[in-house]
Every structure is written in structure tokens, then in C-alpha cells.
């Protein structure tokens, strides 16, 4: 059987050949440890890490010295939230986040709640948006941190980062942004948006798995984070351990390519996503959109099909690699917490499919997925009792 059409780009992305090419020498002849200061192998690795740090910082408008390399977003989120909570304790123990965050944020907030922190969970409207006035009203003089994502991985909602940042900065509260789905896809600028910490992963950005970065504001009132493991003092002591040089080089190259292509790729993916949506809704009735029409993460479409079980639909459409929700919860039959938060019923949530489009998606693939979706939904509806 031919490989399925890949439409799960919010779960992960393939490594771009340009990224792979940049990484390869760092597995073989350029294998040095970036902490080895006494010989050419180390200097070569150090120079590559320095260059990657510059491009990773540039893609979000940060300074190179503000970037902490991690193994990916989950680690960056844990370090930011736990590390900031620990250092801010004298000021307060109140954290604000939102019902539609990724489990990496939700579970870390719950972890902190179990250790004496108070967490306010902001609700969202029917399209996954928070109300910034409600956020402002939730802040108290004991609030230390607000954690809100840039772009939702399931329904593509974009949070108004600049508005959130302004409210947090005015009240002296740290703003952490999980930008795993946003970096390189939508414009983000940590200075303009007044973001204090921001996490992202290479593997959502056509880079390798196991590499990521956390931006921690280091200029004008630097943010202090308590390290979550101890060791050799790398990454300003915040994330000690031998650096993953090939992964970091890959992350850097991935950021460079994404920055160069952001505007054209966002426009292309928006056009392809509309083509997919229009193609399906022209042929079928009883199709609803989860999340906003616009603005939206360009490569994300999440639809629900009246009277159809999404798991059964995926079985009908084996030629397409899709997901019923986030990759992490797609093996569970629990309705997605994101869909529940936007007010979807269990029936709607179980009838929902996420189409994730990306850099390698073609018009032909989109048209084929329209055909297969329409055929699959019709078959299931015809065979329904
Ligand atoms: N945050 C969001 C919004 C995500 O989509 C993901 C991955 O699905 C993560 C965090 C976790 O990223 P990683 O798997 O790289 O640790």
C-alpha cells in the first residue's frame, strides 16, 4: 500500500531536507561537545550552537543570550512554570491559565496546585478565545504568572498575545507563552508582545524531535528561573547538561527557513485550508467548524460531521493520516478537553476530525482528502441505523 497522505502536521512535521543537511556533519566529523573549551572539536560545536542561538532568537525577536536550549516544549514549559513559581513564591502563589491549554501546561499547573499554588482557569468562548478583560479581572496582587498559548493545537485559535502581554506587564505579572504551534507559523515578537518566557519545539517546525528552546527574558528586569535539574552550568545554569548539538543546529536551521518563508507559507496554507473546507462543505451538509473561521492557525482545520463517529471515519479514510484531536489524547476515547471547553457536546466531540496541513501538503492532496472525506462520511451516514 502507498504511504497515506500526511495531514497531521500539528502532531509533528517531517524534517525539512535543508535542516537534515545542516545537521548531518554534527553527528559525524563535527561531533564535539560544545562545553569543550580546550580544542577544535569543542570550538566547532560551540560556534554552531552560537549561530543556532542567534537564529532561534531572531525568529521571535529575542536576544541570543535569552535562549535556553531544551529537549522540546514539554521540558521548556515545565522549566518555565515550575522555575518561575519557585522563585516568585515570596510574592505570591497565584497562577492564571486557560482551559484549552496543552496538557504540558495543564498538568504542570495541576502539579503546582497540588503543592499549594492557586490556579485560575480562564474559560473560553465558543471559538476558543479568552476575554482579556476577564484575564485582567482575575489578576490579584498575589498573581505571579499567566500562562497562555499562542495557537491552539486542536482548533487553531490564536490568542491576542500583545493584549495579554500589555495587561500582564502593567500589573507586573510574568507572561509565559506556549508557542509550540505558533513559532514560524504566525508572527511572534517577544518584545512587541511583552512576553517574558516562551517555549517551542523543533519537531513542529520541520526540525528534529528532541530539540527545543525556551526564551527567558534576560534584558530589562531579567526573569530568574530555578533550574529543575542540577549539573554543569550550561544554559546560564537554567538547563544544565551536555547540549544536543545536532538537534540545536537543526532547530536553528528550521527557524531560519521558517522565518524566510513565513509570509508566503501562511498565505499558501490558508488558501489550501479554505480549499479543503469549501470542498467538504460544498459536497456535504451537517458539517460544523470547530474553532474560528479567521484568524486561525493557517494549517489547521477541525470539523465535526453530524451523525458520524470520527474514529469510524478515520477507518474509512485509511489513505489519510489524520487525528481526532491532539496526538497525545488521540488514543483515548475521552472527548477532547479543548472541544469540551468550547461547549461541544460529547457527540460533537466524537464526530470531530483535525486536518493538519503543512509545508509538504499539495493541492492534489487536498483535493484527494476532500474526495475521501466526502465518500467516507456518505458511506457512514448511509449505513447508520
Ligand atoms: N504545546 C503545544 C501547543 C503542543 O501542540 C505540543 C505538542 O503537541 C506541546 C506543547 C508539547 O511539545 P513537545 O511534544 O515538543 O514536548
Amino acid at each position: 500500500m502507498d504511504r497515506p497522505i500526511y495531514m497531521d502536521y500539528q502532531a509533528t512535521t517531517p524534517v525539512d531536507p535543508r535542516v537534515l543537511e545542516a545537521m548531518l556533519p554534527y553527528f559525524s566529523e563535527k561531533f564535539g561537545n560544545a562545553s569543550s573549551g580546550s580544542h577544535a572539536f569543542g570550538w566547532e560545536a560551540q560556534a554552531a550552537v552560537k549561530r543556532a542561538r542567534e537564529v532561534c532568537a531572531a525568529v521571535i525577536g529575542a536576544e541570543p543570550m535569552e535562549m535556553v536550549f531544551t529537549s522540546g516544549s514539554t521540558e521548556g514549559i515545565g522549566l518555565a512554570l515550575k522555575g518561575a513559581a519557585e522563585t516568585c513564591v515570596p510574592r505570591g502563589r497565584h497562577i492564571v491559565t486557560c482551559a484549552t491549554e496543552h496538557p504540558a501546561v495543564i498538568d504542570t499547573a495541576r502539579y503546582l496546585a497540588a503543592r499549594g499554588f492557586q490556579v485560575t482557569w480562564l474559560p473560553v468562548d465558543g471559538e476558543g478565545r479568552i476575554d482579556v478583560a476577564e484575564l485582567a479581572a482575575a489578576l490579584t496582587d498575589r498573581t505571579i504568572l499567566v500562562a497562555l498559548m499562542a495557537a491552539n493545537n486542536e482548533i487553531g485559535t490564536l490568542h491576542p498575545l500583545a493584549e495579554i502581554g500589555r495587561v500582564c506587564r502593567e500589573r507586573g505579572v510574568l507572561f509565559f507563552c506556549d508557542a509550540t504551534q505558533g513559532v514560524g507559523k504566525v508572527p511572534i515578537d517577544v518584545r512587541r508582545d511583552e512576553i517574558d518566557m516562551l517555549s517551542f519545539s523543533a519537531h513542529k517546525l520541520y526540525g528534529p524531535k528532541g530539540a527545543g528552546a525556551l526564551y527567558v527574558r534576560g534584558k530589562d528586569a531579567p526573569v530568574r528561573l530555578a533550574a529543575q535539574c542540577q549539573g554543569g552550568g550550561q544554559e546560564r545554569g537554567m538547563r544544565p547538561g551536555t547540549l544536543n548539538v545536532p538537534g540545536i543546529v537543526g532547530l536553528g536551521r528550521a527557524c531560519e527557513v521558517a522565518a524566510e518563508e513565513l509570509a508566503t507559507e501562511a498565505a499558501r496554507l490558508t488558501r489550501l485550508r479554505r480549499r479543503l473546507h469549501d470542498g467538504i462543505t460544498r459536497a456535504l451538509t451537517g458539517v460544523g467548524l470547530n474553532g474560528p473561521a479567521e484568524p486561525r492557525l493557517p494549517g489547521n482545520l477541525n470539523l465535526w460531521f453530524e451523525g458520524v463517529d470520527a474514529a469510524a471515519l478515520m477507518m474509512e479514510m485509511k489513505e489519510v493520516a489524520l487525528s481526532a484531536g491532539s496526538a497525545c489524547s488521540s488514543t483515548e476515547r475521552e472527548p477532547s478537553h479543548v472541544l469540551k471547553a468550547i461547549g461541544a457536546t460529547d457527540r460533537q466531540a466524537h464526530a470531530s476530525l483535525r486536518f493538519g496541513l503543512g509545508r509538504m501538503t499539495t493541492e492534489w492532496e487536498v483535493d484527494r482528502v476532500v474526495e475521501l472525506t466526502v465518500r467516507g462520511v456518505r458511506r457512514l451516514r448511509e449505513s447508520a441505523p
Side-chain angles (χ1 to χ4, degrees):
M1 183 186 149
D2 285 342
R3 304 264 292 155
I5 295 171
Y6 189 71
M7 271 216 182
D8 203 10
Y9 279 85
Q10 276 89 59
T12 195
T13 57
V15 174
D16 187 296
R18 293 166 285 185
V19 171
L20 182 62
E21 192 192 340
M23 290 173 69
L24 284 175
Y26 294 91
F27 287 106
S28 48
E29 73 267 29
K30 299 183 179 181
F31 62 86
N33 185 326
S35 299
S36 299
S38 55
H39 51 69
F41 292 89
W43 302 333
E44 200 167 53
Q46 261 165 35
V49 169
K50 178 170 181 284
R51 166 100 188 100
R53 204 181 291 285
E54 285 162 5
V55 283
C56 289
V59 78
I60 55 165
E63 299 291 331
M65 53 78 73
E66 297 177 308
M67 305 308 293
V68 174
F69 289 119
T70 64
S71 63
S73 252
T74 301
E75 186 194 344
I77 290 165
L79 172 56
L81 301 190
K82 291 193 229 165
E86 208 176 310
T87 50
C88 292
V89 157
R91 212 190 125 189
R93 287 177 163 266
H94 179 226
I95 293 168
V96 179
T97 184
C98 170
T100 53
E101 292 294 311
H102 187 272
V105 168
I106 293 181
D107 290 351
T108 308
R110 287 191 185 136
Y111 170 95
L112 289 168
R115 282 153 186 81
F117 287 82
Q118 291 86 48
V119 179
T120 297
W121 299 93
L122 294 175
V124 291
D125 69 12
E127 296 180 344
R129 296 192 198 91
I130 60 149
D131 178 347
V132 179
E134 210 166 337
L135 163 67
L139 301 180
T140 73
D141 53 7
R142 309 292 293 156
T143 311
I144 50 171
L145 180 67
V146 167
L148 290 167
M149 70 205 318
N152 189 277
N153 48 307
E154 293 191 39
I155 58 170
T157 311
L158 305 175
H159 280 331
L161 302 185
E163 286 177 51
I164 296 166
R166 191 175 333 118
V167 167
C168 293
R169 197 58 63 86
E170 274 167 16
R171 303 286 293 271
V173 174
L174 294 177
F175 173 25
F176 166 76
C177 180
D178 169 6
T180 314
Q181 298 288 347
V183 168
K185 317 281 170 58
V186 292
I188 294 176
D189 185 310
V190 293
R191 295 258 119 68
R192 180 198 62 203
D193 300 339
E194 302 186 281
I195 297 169
D196 298 300
M197 296 176 284
L198 177 145
S199 178
F200 60 102
S201 261
H203 78 101
K204 309 280 187 186
L205 201 57
Y206 311 94
K209 291 164 185 64
L214 174 68
Y215 149 79
V216 183
R217 182 152 65 104
K219 279 200 331 191
D220 327 316
V223 174
R224 284 193 315 110
L225 289 188
Q228 298 302 302
C229 58
Q230 282 62 45
Q234 291 92 341
E235 301 305 271
R236 294 190 278 150
M238 279 185 259
R239 204 278 193 175
T242 300
L243 292 176
N244 167 11
V245 179
I248 290 168
V249 168
L251 174 64
R253 186 71 183 114
C255 286
E256 206 166 47
V257 174
E260 277 161 23
E261 299 184 351
L262 192 150
T264 48
E265 188 57 5
R268 191 186 76 91
L269 286 176
T270 301
R271 194 168 40 74
L272 287 180
R273 188 234 299 149
R274 288 189 185 143
R275 186 179 178 98
L276 179 63
H277 191 190
D278 292 348
I280 292 172
T281 48
R282 253 199 307 271
L284 293 172
T285 56
V287 180
L289 175 67
N290 293 315
E294 286 306 339
R296 185 182 183 106
L297 185 63
N300 171 277
L301 181 67
N302 191 317
L303 299 176
W304 63 275
F305 300 91
E306 182 78 62
V308 168
D309 179 66
L313 182 54
M314 284 194 289
M315 291 300 285
E316 283 288 328
M317 299 172 59
K318 290 214 187 73
E319 276 174 64
V320 193
L322 285 167
S323 153
S326 65
C328 346
S329 62
S330 58
T331 51
E332 298 166 12
R333 285 299 283 156
E334 266 299 290
S336 133
H337 70 286
V338 174
L339 296 177
K340 272 171 122 169
I342 62 171
T345 60
D346 282 5
R347 224 164 48 92
Q348 272 171 17
H350 284 306
S352 294
L353 264 195
R354 178 179 72 177
F355 300 84
L357 291 74
R359 190 175 287 165
M360 289 74 182
T361 305
T362 63
E363 207 164 270
W364 180 87
E365 287 181 333
V366 166
D367 293 346
R368 181 75 186 134
V369 173
V370 169
E371 253 173 65
L372 292 167
T373 309
V374 170
R375 191 183 72 187
V377 169
R378 283 194 180 137
R379 271 197 199 152
L380 289 173
R381 283 182 178 161
E382 277 158 18
S383 64

